[in-house]
Amino acid sequence: MWNSDSFASSALWYQGKKPVEEEIAMTEKRLVGSELDEAALYFHREPRPGKLEIRATKPLGNQRDLALAYSPGVAAPCLAIAADPARAADYTARQNLVAVVSNGTAVLGLGNIGPLASKPVMEGKAVLFKKFAGIDVFDIEIDAATVDRVVDVVSALEPTFGGINLEDIKAPECFEVEARLREMMHIPVFHDDQHGTAIIVAAAVVNAMELSGKALSQIKVVASGAGAAALACLNLLVSLGVRRENVWVSDIEGVVYEGREALMDRWKSVYAQKTDARHLGEIIVGADVFLGLSAAGVLKSEMVAKMGEKPLILALANPNPEITPEEALAVRPDAMMCTGRSDYPNQVNNVLCFPYIFRGALDVGATTINEEMKAAAVRAIASLAKEEPSDVAARAYGGVSETFGPKYLIPSPFDNRLILRIAPAVARAAMETGVATRPITDFAAYLDRLNRFVFRSGLVMKPIIAAAKERRGRVIYSDGEDERVLRAAQVLIEDDLGEPILIGRPQVIEARCLRYGLKIRPGRDFACVNPEDDPRYRDYVDLFLDLVGRRGVTPDAARTIVRTNTTVIGALALQRGEADALLTGLEGRFIKRVRDIRSVVGLAPGASDYSALSLLISNRGPLFLTDTYVRPDPTPAEIAETTIQAAAEIRRFGIAPKVALLSASNFGSRDLPSADKLRAALAILRRAAPDLEVDGEMHGDAALSPHERDRVLPKSTLTGEANLLVFPTLDAANITLNVLKIATDALHVGPLLLGTAKSAHILTPSVTSRGVVNMSAFALASARV
């Protein structure tokens, strides 16, 4: 078990010292010197040390599984790979496995802290690969101080990995290391400190010069700093069209000029200018782009004042830039700014590109990452910045989204569309340049797979999305002023899923569309129902009175309700045929919305009441649960009715329902009222739906594990894993839903309201805009258009 003593002992052992209690105490005191440091140490320590673990992807539940996974079964794939090395992509994890390798000589802003101390950073890089691109990573920290030693160690790793990400190796050694490894190895080798930064910087330069109306071939670029990242940025910009003679470099020794001897190397010498200038202030005059990868405060206000018209300032030193945006814009309001910090616009963050470049390279079995692939990534990032910002990016920045312009030259690192743009562009470039060993033959299927990774609902929702597109009905939203609805409406319009109708004040909706960077506008792209001024108001009141007038609702009350209750307004529009589906519920109590819909829309033929079906999508696949929101204590007949309705909806997803009736009793193991109820429900189901695959009452583990179920009842009428769990009470269903949602990191789709005369559904306040899109598709797919 990890503890502070073992950590300190290991650290001191690594430094060749004996563990001394006083030194340990001083070390710990220094490490927890700030609130952030203390929180970070706790984060890395609990509930188990580190940020990574290894999990088996195959079941190892019995002796046969072990025989297949290891001896003797493993011989078959070994022999297949020996005969054809390309088969390793079919039988091993190699094609999705990257090594993040460092010798710890240039770790973040910490310097040469050594390989062991760099491990938290490399683990962090690994989790970014997994989070953003689904790529598995082993972090490898090597005790190798020389170029030869690094090259020898890393090159020997080729049989294990599909790609190598070099990290935090100091310049100029990093140039030599990468160059030699690329020559020796037949898998991608990518030094992210160089090329990741360069790709994002290049995208920012391309877009900034477009805004300022300047051609790359005509601009003057001045760089402060000549390390790995700075030189890689300059090299990429030159490959994109910037003229080498227009590039000026300054470092700690001053201007890089022809004949200079101090701190020079062959990579830096490429940008030596024939000049008498010796200081940054002398070469900054007329510059169109300042590239700072040096130190805080290097660029002075008076220097910025001398730059060309509409200059781009990339002040990327961390944690404090070469000049702050406030200082730069005070003297040059026309300037465009990028920093490495998340609290300013245009953050240059390597996570914008490295996971997706590797994703595209791995998916085609690329033997290298060449200049054409990097250029493709630049174009993809630059292009994405011109699209409307996504809801994920908006949430990451407090709900306010910038659109393409000086404050939005590059996308947010949290934009979930990055993988959808960069990976295919890189894969295509690899194929076009002949470095792909496994070319993609069906890009539509590839894009679909990437979409499913981004939106875990993609695979399960595909039939629903297709049905919605075919019908292309009208969905009315009672919460039309909510940001999530506005973003969902834009997706519906762009993806041609249906026609949104929003209930809300048009002026508020338009202002919020502008605020969130959305292009859609009320009256032009979608219809609005204004509760404060709708020409159908009197007709709505009359219809509402006809429906509820004998239930204690007076004319005055009806007029107030139809003016203020947007769920009722939406339900009336649905009832009048002015919409094909209704979504409501982002605000207010769920059961109140149920009553509103019931009073206006009514019940489907043969339905005794409403119930709710929820879908959870996790790594295990789809799992449906009912009744999760409506009936507190259903009767056996009501459970059977809900089950039949739920099974019909599950078939819309292209899934054959397999139903388990859950109880604390396992096929008669206990005499409980809930078990009696479910046994009675099972008898009703077998009479009413003889073709439905269903069994119960049973425990939850028996429902999801055929092995466990066979142990208790070998002749169960349920085969395989159940995908519809039916509960005896609302408490059991709702509690299970919310526990599973968090415990399995599952995506919740629903609740889907069953038993309605028309397609009407009640959202939950925690739903995301993507969840609103999913529910919109389902509402339209199930509507009687």
Side-chain angles (χ1 to χ4, degrees), residues 471-532:
R471 296 186 178 187
R472 209 183 180 285
R474 301 158 297 168
V475 59
I476 188 165
Y477 300 92
S478 291
D479 305 286
E481 296 177 2
D482 190 281
E483 177 188 357
R484 292 164 290 182
V485 168
L486 295 174
R487 293 188 180 280
Q490 176 152 303
V491 173
L492 252 69
I493 293 168
E494 290 180 346
D495 290 357
D496 202 29
L497 285 175
E499 298 178 19
I501 304 169
L502 275 58
I503 300 175
R505 297 159 293 177
Q507 67 275 19
V508 173
I509 291 173
E510 181 161 5
R512 291 183 180 179
C513 286
L514 287 167
R515 178 188 177 192
Y516 302 134
L518 304 175
K519 290 183 178 180
I520 57 172
R521 296 292 181 269
R524 184 190 71 189
D525 302 299
F526 58 89
C528 274
V529 176
N530 184 357
E532 297 177 348

Side-chain angles (χ1 to χ4, degrees), residues 531-549:
E532 297 177 348
D533 182 21
D534 190 276
R536 297 162 294 188
Y537 171 68
R538 294 185 182 278
D539 295 334
Y540 278 24
V541 171
D542 291 343
L543 176 58
F544 188 55
L545 276 171
D546 289 343
L547 294 168
V548 301

